[in-house]
Amino acid sequence: MVTSVPSTNGHSSNGAAPAPAEQPGLQVYSLAGRVALITGGGTGIGLEIARCMVAAGATVVITGRRESVLQASAADLGAGAHYLVNDVSDLSGSDALIEQVEADFGPLDILVNNAGINMKKPALEVTDEDFSRIIHTNLNAVFALTRAAGKRMVARRSGTIIMISSMAAYYGIDRVVAYAASKSAVEGMVKVLASEFSAQGVRVNAIAPGFIETEMSRTAMNSDPDRRDRAMRRTPMGKFGKPSDIGHAAVFLASEGARYVTGVSLPVDGGNSIGF
Ligand code: NDP
């Protein structure tokens, strides 16, 4: 058992300044007063990240390309949720998006790079255009928006960035070569950015979802029952995840509860990444 050594001068026994008072109980996971931007927040995983962050008290801005989808989702999320139509693949708009969020809602505390696209094709049939399209949305756009938000967060010495990775960055899933390359690169980016930004008060992490039931995964799985069975067989919990499973993990990573967590990729996968 480790016991603390009482100090007579209000400092800890190693002479460091006393730590600020701990927030009691669940308050440490509160996002009250925080502003969060979630790309692709109108559907699937992004929508449930938004719902969990609104429930934790954040002001949330969701983005995507389809206004009707965003409008309905923001209304469903209720007070605390807002939307902006934005195509992340237009890199020239990255700085303007962050500027607009900050002008409308105040300094951005949380960026969740969730928007992403997939394509299933044998590698030998993937054209340069196919490959570039996936890399552009899932990697180039993530970097451009992260740089735009990161500049401001680092200057304020405050903020946190969450990437959405994938099991495709962990092990070899056939027919998703561009997608796997994009998510593997995002994992590398997390480590570099965490080592550059963390000393300046900005934490950078990833969540690697396992097989989560959304529109994107349904399209990939329903057309391929064998793939569905293989994914299930190596998931020790014996079920696919819900988008809200990722939402809860995102709230944790964005909160003070994770204040000493940076540079990690957290699998939220029912054990899929360690399954035999
Ligand atoms: P969805 O297809 O439901 O959501 C993707 C979202 O991204 C949509 O809201 C879409 O909105 C938005 N989006 C796509 N392209 C752009 C763009 N160019 N600009 C702005 N928004 C865009 O998929 P999921 O919820 O399943 O996926 C979310 C993230 O989770 C992705 O990064 C995905 O790779 C990752 N993931 C998902 C897994 C799963 O099992 N579902 C597993 C592992 C990772 P719109 O079309 O209106 O622009």
Side-chain angles (χ1 to χ4, degrees), residues 205-223:
N205 293 292
I207 295 172
F211 291 84
I212 309 294
E213 302 220 359
T214 67
E215 210 44 52
M216 183 189 279
S217 61
R218 261 191 294 277
T219 309
M221 293 292 188
N222 287 353
S223 57

Side-chain angles (χ1 to χ4, degrees), residues 30-188:
S30 167
L31 300 181
R34 311 278 175 86
V35 175
L37 171 62
I38 303 166
T39 64
T43 64
I45 289 174
L47 176 58
E48 295 313 310
I49 293 175
R51 199 181 309 281
C52 289
M53 288 195 173
V54 167
T59 296
V60 169
V61 184
I62 56 174
T63 70
R65 293 164 297 181
R66 291 167 295 168
E67 181 157 21
S68 56
V69 170
L70 293 168
Q71 210 165 36
S73 297
D76 179 44
L77 291 169
H82 309 269
Y83 74 86
L84 290 169
V85 177
N86 176 263
D87 181 343
V88 291
S89 70
D90 174 8
L91 306 192
S92 68
S94 305
D95 282 305
L97 174 62
I98 303 296
E99 257 174 50
Q100 191 175 346
V101 170
E102 297 207 336
D104 292 350
F105 304 104
L108 181 67
D109 300 294
I110 301 161
L111 169 64
V112 184
N113 284 301
N114 164 79
I117 53 173
N118 199 355
M119 180 198 56
K120 212 171 78 184
K121 256 190 192 181
L124 297 183
E125 292 172 19
V126 172
T127 66
D128 291 339
E129 288 71 30
D130 290 334
F131 197 86
S132 297
R133 189 172 57 85
I134 303 287
I135 294 289
H136 191 67
T137 296
N138 292 5
L139 180 61
N140 298 350
V142 167
F143 178 64
L145 195 61
T146 298
R147 184 183 52 204
K151 271 182 209 159
R152 290 159 180 260
M153 290 179 175
V154 164
R156 290 192 291 265
R157 303 185 70 83
S158 166
T160 189
I161 298 167
I162 299 172
M163 314 291 192
I164 303 298
S165 177
S166 166
M167 291 296 111
Y170 284 20
Y171 56 81
I173 304 179
D174 58 292
R175 289 169 286 161
V176 291
V177 67
Y179 182 78
S182 71
K183 297 296 187 178
S184 303
V186 161
E187 295 250 343

Side-chain angles (χ1 to χ4, degrees), residues 116 203 215 232-233 251:
R203 297 181 297 105
E215 210 44 52
M232 184 61 86
R233 271 201 305 277
V251 168

